[in-house]
Amino acid sequence: MSALGVQSFTQQGWEQVLAKVKRALVYLDAACAESLHWGCGSTRLLEAVGGPACHLREFEPAAVAGGAKQPKAVFVLSCLLKGRTVETLRNIICRSHFQYCVVVTATNHAVHLTANHVPAAAAAELEGQQPVFEQLEEKLCEWMGSMNYTAEVLHVPLLLAPVSPYLALTPAFACLFPLLPQDVDLLNSARLDKKRMGSLGEVDSTALTPELLLQIRCLVSGLSSLCEHLGVREECFAVGSLSRIIAADLANYAPAKNRRKTSTSRASVVFVDRTLDLTGTVGHHGDNLVEKIISVLPQLPGHTNDVMVNMVELTALQNEEKQNMIAPGCLAQSNDTAAKALWEALLNSKHKEAVMEVRRHLVEAASRENLPIKMSMGRVTPGQLMSYIQLFKNNFKALVNHCGLLQLGLATVQTLKHPQTAKWDNFLAFERLLLQSIGESTISIVLNQLLPMIKPSNQRTNDDYSSEELLILLIYIYSITGEFTEDKDLAEAEEKVKKALVQVFCEETELSPLLQKVTGCDSSINLTFHKSKIAVDELFTLLRDIAGARNLMKQFKSVYVPGNHTHQASYKPLLKQIVEEIFNPEKSDPIDIEHMSSGLSDLLKTGFSMFMKVSRPHPSDHPLLILFVVGGITVSEAKMIKDLVPSLKPGTQVIVLSTRLLTPLNILELLFATDRLHPDLGF
């Protein structure tokens, strides 16, 4: 078993796909494209296809069809083969001249049976058979125009986008997010003939929408395949309500039972709800360059975890209007050994060390290419890095040899020069002030400190906070405060902040996509005072939910550490508390880390432990810990876990999984999403 397991798992999956694509048109959906991007790179796919032309296309209804000289197609899809997905397949195939079609789905056949409402008992009898895939193969031949043509449908678990040897993400589940207390009301409204739930603690799988349940089953299918690749039998644990449902589904996943019987190694899989601690996602404590890069640079289109790097500086183009002619660079450099080494150094270093590491790599690359480099020591500046990068501009061979490194170098320069980076320290200073204020005063006083900073757009300078940034600060305040006492002062302070925010929203000259989501208006012209007031009231309902997210916890009730005469008040991440509790030698039975039984033997063990000396399963029992954060993780959090586990229990390996990388802005998008209970599964 190796820490490189997530990378080999992804690469092994793509090798199965690459074996099918020779001389084919390849259609990929966004999630599979992202897995390819981080796992082995599009270059590998193009090499496997062969031929001078680019044969990669996005899987969508309007996709370009195959021509008369393109008889073969491979479709690589992350989703279930059902509904709109099948319609899109039919649309593309009927407009093409294919004689050979391969459809690869990242979701296994057992989940397709569930999606088609086949009862569990009937599904068990179909073990080894794949009727859903076989029926689709017949349809593919029918759409191609002859039953003598070749069609193949197969499952390959393309679940992960491995960002590093210890961190991997699940692009197909980037929008999967834990439930909030307000979601309980929505779930209750669909349970007219059943007992109403009083809190998130009462939510179980029977209460969820069919779409969300199916989304969870698709994720569980992929995680089971990962455990099979790692050769482990997993014990499942959970912290949080949605995590409990996911962990229970994996523990009782029927297709995994035979696998577990033959597994020689063991692993603990601990699922954690992101909503239990949002402080780290909106805070600026993480002294990490990559975190800043993904926060300030624009998102790479179609991706959830990578950014666009402007490459114009390495071209002869000067005209700003022509910049969109140049393809953007990115952070993922899966086929460039030197760039990959730098990327991993950036993930694992503090900001200052990371910038020096970028300079060192650029200097060494320039020296190897005999470029006329002028050495300079001391503080690294964006201008200095840019002067090194410019050396490669007129040397095509050097440019090609070090393209990956130059993309990371330009990403660094563009981040250091970005106005939002200058604001990072302002955020950090205010957050530190808040930490001290929370310990010395009530939340009402903290809100009154924020009030003067809430300014309409026509009164703001570059140093002032935008509407979105004010939302980030509010989430920080409510998340780190946690439970608080209602009083007259709080009600008055909230009303003042609400009134100011309503005014700010109304006076925005243009609504950003996020503000459109928050206000429910697509244009500032349509945003009336009344609509703005409704949006702000809903925002404060959300803030109360965030503050109360840990109410059901017995041990992990707070992420705030009060100050004393020797230490200032500080933030202690929930993930750190969980890892420390897992490896705490003095506590045999974690209170808030719930074990999910996988059958009768586990239930008996749990029952006997009440009156006999039978130890319950513990997350520190096994040599591998897989920590899955449902709803996203920051780069700093992943590094903290990676460093913390071996320091607490040497020899234990850790794999960090999550749905996506988080920035302060994209956590806002997830919180204000309207489809949390009804995810779009493509049908």
Side-chain angles (χ1 to χ4, degrees):
M1 183 168 48
S2 162
L4 296 171
V6 292
Q7 291 182 322
S8 63
F9 172 66
T10 306
Q11 287 166 1
Q12 187 180 90
W14 280 104
E15 288 298 332
Q16 291 178 60
V17 175
L18 298 180
K20 301 284 182 184
V21 300
K22 191 171 184 180
R23 291 192 291 276
L25 272 182
V26 183
Y27 294 84
L28 299 108
D29 66 13
C32 284
E34 197 161 0
S35 171
L36 173 72
H37 179 72
W38 288 99
C40 56
S42 56
T43 310
R44 285 286 311 282
L45 184 56
L46 288 169
E47 286 169 358
V49 170
C54 177
H55 292 291
L56 302 193
R57 294 180 185 174
E58 185 180 359
F59 180 75
E60 58 174 358
V64 177
K69 294 184 179 178
Q70 294 168 317
K72 183 180 176 184
V74 177
F75 298 86
V76 190
L77 310 174
S78 60
C79 51
L80 287 157
L81 304 177
K82 190 172 166 65
R84 285 203 320 275
T85 301
V86 172
E87 278 301 303
T88 303
L89 275 171
R90 188 183 67 80
N91 184 314
I92 295 170
I93 293 168
C94 288
R95 291 187 285 111
S96 305
H97 296 77
F98 302 138
Q99 298 174 24
Y100 183 4
C101 274
V102 179
V103 176
V104 177
T105 172
T107 308
N108 77 8
H109 188 265
V111 183
H112 281 82
L113 291 175
T114 304
N116 285 287
H117 312 293
V118 176
E125 290 176 11
L126 290 169
E127 192 174 351
Q129 301 173 56
Q130 299 190 326
V132 178
F133 289 177
E134 288 162 10
Q135 286 167 20
L136 182 57
E137 286 172 351
E138 288 183 12
K139 286 287 183 187
L140 294 173
C141 289
E142 192 180 303
W143 299 332
M144 285 188 284
S146 171
M147 300 309 285
N148 292 322
Y149 289 159
T150 306
E152 192 177 350
V153 178
L154 66 150
H155 160 240
V156 177
L158 304 172
L159 171 72
L160 300 178
V163 172
S164 78
Y166 64 87
L167 172 62
L169 309 165
T170 58
F173 303 92
C175 295
L176 179 64
F177 199 70
L179 305 182
L180 294 163
Q182 60 187 267
D183 294 320
V184 176
D185 294 332
L186 294 170
L187 291 171
N188 276 332
S189 66
R191 290 166 57 93
L192 301 176
D193 57 337
K194 296 180 183 175
K195 183 188 170 187
R196 293 179 70 77
M197 298 172 292
S199 71
L200 281 175
E202 296 176 38
V203 176
D204 60 15
S205 59
T206 63
L208 298 187
T209 62
E211 303 99 306
L212 183 52
L213 265 178
L214 201 49
Q215 186 182 36
I216 288 169
R217 180 55 60 89
C218 290
L219 173 61
V220 161
S221 153
L223 292 174
S224 179
S225 295
L226 172 63
C227 290
E228 182 175 6
H229 174 80
L230 296 172
V232 296
R233 175 183 172 177
E234 69 278 17
E235 291 282 0
C236 300
F237 301 84
V239 185
S241 56
L242 191 67
S243 286
R244 192 172 63 246
I245 294 168
I246 297 170
D249 201 43
L250 177 57
N252 294 285
Y253 183 55
K257 286 182 179 174
N258 287 336
R259 161 178 69 76
R260 291 189 184 121
K261 288 174 187 172
T262 57
S263 298
T264 53
S265 299
R266 303 289 289 272
S268 296
V269 184
V270 181
F271 294 89
V272 181
D273 278 8
R274 174 76 267 175
T275 41
L276 295 171
D277 177 15
L278 294 177
T279 311
T281 69
V282 290
H284 296 72
H285 329 91
D287 186 20
N288 185 279
L289 177 62
V290 175
E291 212 156 88
K292 294 174 185 176
I293 291 172
I294 64 172
S295 293
V296 304
L297 295 189
Q299 204 170 69
L300 193 63
H303 289 249
T304 52
N305 302 297
D306 207 343
V307 296
M308 289 197 288
V309 181
N310 191 330
M311 303 299 289
V312 169
E313 291 285 353
L314 288 173
T315 71
L317 282 178
Q318 296 301 318
N319 190 339
E320 293 289 318
E321 293 177 9
K322 292 182 179 176
Q323 287 195 9
N324 60 2
M325 292 170 61
I326 305 299
C330 60
L331 301 177
Q333 303 296 332
S334 49
N335 287 320
D336 185 328
T337 308
K340 206 171 180 179
L342 174 58
W343 167 248
E344 287 175 17
L346 300 185
L347 286 172
N348 292 303
S349 308
K350 291 189 173 181
H351 175 96
K352 189 176 177 182
E353 296 161 1
V355 174
M356 292 175 71
E357 196 68 14
V358 172
R359 177 174 69 179
R360 184 178 72 80
H361 275 75
L362 286 170
V363 167
E364 288 178 1
S367 301
R368 280 198 297 273
E369 298 292 343
N370 296 318
L371 298 174
I373 192 161
K374 291 180 182 177
M375 287 296 296
S376 55
M377 301 307 289
R379 184 168 167 267
V380 184
T381 65
Q384 183 192 96
L385 294 178
M386 200 64 229
S387 69
Y388 297 153
I389 290 168
Q390 292 278 10
L391 294 172
F392 294 81
K393 183 174 178 177
N394 296 315
N395 186 324
F396 185 72
K397 181 173 171 286
L399 197 65
V400 170
N401 288 345
H402 304 282
C403 188
L405 170 63
L406 295 171
Q407 289 174 62
L408 294 175
L410 281 167
T412 303
V413 170
Q414 288 160 28
T415 299
L416 295 177
K417 292 168 76 172
H418 200 283
Q420 278 302 114
T421 304
K423 249 186 180 178
W424 194 276
D425 291 338
N426 296 352
F427 269 107
L428 186 56
F430 187 61
E431 286 160 11
R432 284 176 176 162
L433 177 67
L434 285 174
L435 281 172
Q436 307 318 312
S437 300
I438 289 164
E440 296 160 9
S441 53
T442 61
I443 190 171
S444 57
I445 293 171
V446 173
L447 289 174
N448 285 324
Q449 288 177 326
L450 180 68
L451 200 55
M453 301 178 184
I454 305 174
K455 298 177 183 177
S457 56
N458 59 0
Q459 293 177 27
R460 278 183 223 138
T461 66
N462 288 338
D463 291 331
D464 289 318
Y465 294 111
S466 67
S467 296
E468 292 92 337
E469 289 165 342
L470 290 167
L471 298 182
I472 287 167
L473 287 173
L474 281 166
I475 289 168
Y476 186 92
I477 291 168
Y478 279 79
S479 178
I480 198 155
T481 303
E483 284 185 275
F484 51 79
T485 309
E486 299 277 350
D487 59 25
K488 184 184 171 188
D489 290 343
L490 175 60
E492 287 176 359
E494 283 191 339
E495 278 307 312
K496 287 178 188 173
V497 172
K498 282 183 181 182
K499 190 176 177 182
L501 279 175
V502 168
Q503 199 62 38
V504 164
F505 286 176
C506 284
E507 294 186 23
E508 288 289 343
T509 51
E510 192 176 335
L511 296 180
S512 65
L514 178 62
L515 283 183
Q516 289 176 29
K517 201 175 266 190
V518 172
T519 60
C521 289
D522 57 359
S523 164
S524 56
I525 299 165
N526 301 326
L527 182 57
T528 62
F529 180 84
H530 179 64
K531 286 179 180 176
S532 184
K533 188 174 184 310
I534 290 171
V536 171
D537 284 341
E538 288 174 352
L539 164 66
F540 272 79
T541 300
L542 173 65
L543 291 171
R544 293 297 183 96
D545 280 358
I546 289 167
R550 293 183 294 274
N551 286 358
L552 296 172
M553 296 285 107
K554 296 181 181 72
Q555 183 180 3
F556 304 132
K557 274 213 170 280
S558 177
V559 293
Y560 177 74
V561 181
N564 54 36
H565 61 284
T566 55
H567 297 287
Q568 287 192 324
S570 61
Y571 157 63
K572 186 171 184 181
L574 182 78
L575 290 172
K576 185 174 187 181
Q577 294 181 48
I578 289 169
V579 172
E580 286 179 347
E581 180 61 19
I582 287 172
F583 296 106
N584 183 346
E586 295 175 11
K587 291 202 177 177
S588 59
D589 197 3
I591 301 167
D592 286 331
I593 306 172
E594 193 176 347
H595 174 249
M596 296 296 139
S597 62
S598 58
L600 183 61
S601 59
D602 272 354
L603 286 170
L604 287 172
K605 189 184 289 187
T606 305
F608 284 135
S609 69
M610 294 177 185
F611 53 87
M612 292 176 66
K613 288 186 177 180
V614 178
S615 60
R616 293 187 186 187
H618 191 283
S620 66
D621 287 344
H622 309 306
L624 173 64
L625 171 67
I626 300 173
L627 192 69
F628 192 113
V629 185
V630 182
I633 195 167
T634 68
V635 171
S636 297
E637 288 171 333
K639 180 186 181 298
M640 173 196 70
I641 295 163
K642 189 263 296 185
D643 293 342
L644 187 58
V645 170
S647 74
L648 295 171
K649 190 175 179 183
T652 301
Q653 292 187 321
V654 62
I655 293 173
V656 182
L657 303 179
S658 191
T659 45
R660 67 186 297 163
L661 286 180
L662 288 177
T663 67
L665 277 179
N666 67 30
I667 192 68
L668 288 179
E669 290 170 3
L670 288 165
L671 284 166
F672 287 101
T674 55
D675 58 354
R676 196 160 43 239
L677 294 174
H678 300 277
D680 183 1
L681 301 179
F683 59 87

